[in-house]
Amino acid sequence: MARTEGIYETAPRGGPILQCEVLSDVFQSVLNERSVLGGPPHSVDIIKHPLAIVVSQDCDLEWDHRARVPDGAPDKLLPNVLLCEVHEAASNPSNSTLWGPIRMNKNERYQFLQAPRWLEDALREGLPELLVDFKRYFSLPTGELYRRISAGQTRRRCVLQQPFREHFSNRFYCFQMRIALPGEHFSEP
Amino acid sequence: MFGNAFPVTGLPTTFSLQQELPGATFTHTFSLRTGEPQWATQFLPGIMMRMLCHWLLSEVSERGLPEAAETLLQVRDHYRGEPQVLRFGPPTVTTVPAVVGPPLQRPALVLGDE
């Protein structure tokens, strides 16, 4: 199958974080479970996600960014940004029966992403083929994420373009909206 | 069919699987080199699996052969080549000491038009 053009463009240097933007070196601080109910010493786990993709809505992110000024509209602030972990597709150890549908984006839980080329990467490095597990989402305080980006700790890499952005978002939210059934429809053997 | 292959010592090391089909006779011959070091521990599982695959293919009806070929092609391509060296590993965790700061009050809820 030939490579598809127009899936990505480079992430902008400034402005709001975008829906379906791929970030690298994303840091997530989580209160260590032993510290939740216990007394001191407390500790925090710093999880470093090598890659992550933003799944918050574009319009919410844009309004939030506009409101992050003195006297900005407080109702527009987005306290947290929702992200999904992004993994290198080659790290997937599955068998071909499982991997075939995943690679074609026919498994509802996963999203396979073509490798962004160096021209589509703001760091001009390019990225390998990527895999997103829709169960592996997390959130970060929006202000912290912007601060880490401006400090150069977290890097903005590339953004999915229409209609790949909508395709990705639709699949992510459809997965979150799935309905558990008490059993499957029976088929006569 | 493979009953004479196991256990592996003191038994025939060459045997055949023969299949008569309209217009052709298929003969698979298996020669087991059981004298090689670590044969039973290292090679036997893979040998058994390949023999099983040969036998299963011979059991597939004419109707199922195109699908079997397609599936086998996918399996072959999936496992072709060496595993790639990863540039991006899984998430890593570093634990740092922390002190509990003063409690923060969450921002008041402000209603607004969307």
Side-chain angles (χ1 to χ4, degrees):
Chain A
M1 200 164 63
R3 183 184 170 83
T4 304
E5 300 299 328
I7 292 183
Y8 305 99
E9 72 174 9
T10 56
R13 283 174 173 268
I17 301 161
L18 301 173
Q19 187 172 3
C20 295
E21 178 171 341
V22 177
L23 308 170
S24 61
D25 298 331
V26 179
F27 294 89
Q28 178 191 14
S29 306
V30 181
L31 184 62
N32 188 287
E33 280 185 26
R34 290 189 303 277
S35 300
V36 173
L37 297 176
H42 296 291
S43 58
V44 169
D45 292 334
I46 310 287
I47 304 169
K48 181 183 175 184
H49 300 276
L51 294 166
I53 187 166
V54 176
V55 289
S56 290
Q57 286 280 346
D58 236 3
C59 54
D60 287 341
L61 292 163
E62 187 174 337
W63 279 112
D64 166 87
H65 191 260
R66 287 188 203 177
R68 287 187 181 273
V69 291
D71 300 325
D75 65 298
K76 302 299 184 194
L77 284 174
L78 201 61
N80 295 283
V81 176
L82 191 61
L83 302 109
C84 262
E85 292 180 5
V86 176
H87 294 263
E88 200 168 333
S91 66
N92 142 67
S94 73
N95 61 46
S96 67
T97 308
L98 185 60
W99 180 241
I102 290 175
R103 197 168 55 108
M104 304 295 290
N105 285 324
K106 301 295 183 196
N107 182 318
E108 62 183 355
R109 181 176 161 179
Y110 302 97
Q111 176 84 27
F112 173 79
L113 296 170
Q114 171 180 298
R117 282 189 293 205
W118 67 275
L119 268 171
E120 299 162 332
D121 176 13
L123 295 191
R124 293 292 186 259
E125 293 174 0
L127 293 168
E129 292 181 347
L130 304 170
L131 183 67
V132 179
D133 178 351
F134 292 145
K135 282 193 177 183
R136 303 283 291 261
Y137 54 84
F138 62 101
S139 67
L140 290 179
T142 312
E144 180 186 333
L145 181 56
Y146 276 118
R147 195 168 284 260
R148 287 192 188 273
I149 288 171
S150 61
Q153 291 177 0
T154 295
R155 314 299 297 268
R156 305 179 72 169
R157 306 297 292 265
C158 57
V159 195
L160 283 173
Q161 293 300 289
Q162 282 186 326
F164 302 96
R165 180 176 56 203
E166 287 73 12
H167 177 249
F168 177 91
S169 301
N170 183 263
R171 294 193 73 233
F172 173 78
Y173 287 106
C174 279
F175 181 75
Q176 308 310 326
M177 290 171 62
R178 71 198 191 282
I179 301 192
L181 299 173
E184 299 298 328
H185 291 270
F186 177 72
S187 170
E188 292 289 346
Chain B
M1 179 190 73
F2 295 131
N4 62 347
F6 313 107
V8 296
T9 52
L11 289 171
T13 55
T14 299
F15 53 96
S16 299
L17 163 66
Q18 189 161 308
Q19 186 180 21
E20 289 295 340
L21 294 167
T25 299
F26 285 78
T27 305
H28 299 261
T29 301
F30 304 97
S31 296
L32 306 178
R33 299 193 298 274
T34 56
E36 293 183 7
Q38 298 179 312
W39 184 87
T41 54
Q42 193 176 341
F43 306 132
L44 182 57
I47 292 169
M48 285 175 66
M49 200 52 76
R50 278 193 188 276
M51 288 160 66
L52 176 64
C53 289
H54 276 264
W55 175 72
L56 278 174
L57 261 185
S58 71
E59 290 288 297
V60 176
S61 72
E62 204 85 9
R63 276 193 318 133
L65 283 175
E67 188 178 332
E70 190 180 334
T71 306
L72 278 173
L73 199 62
Q74 286 172 10
V75 172
R76 185 199 66 171
D77 291 346
H78 184 77
Y79 292 99
R80 181 184 286 183
E82 296 295 314
Q84 292 180 33
V85 177
L86 299 182
R87 282 172 56 194
F88 299 93
T92 54
V93 180
T94 310
T95 302
V96 295
V99 291
V100 178
L104 297 174
Q105 196 169 20
R106 68 180 179 187
L109 177 64
V110 181
L111 302 182
D113 280 333
E114 192 51 38

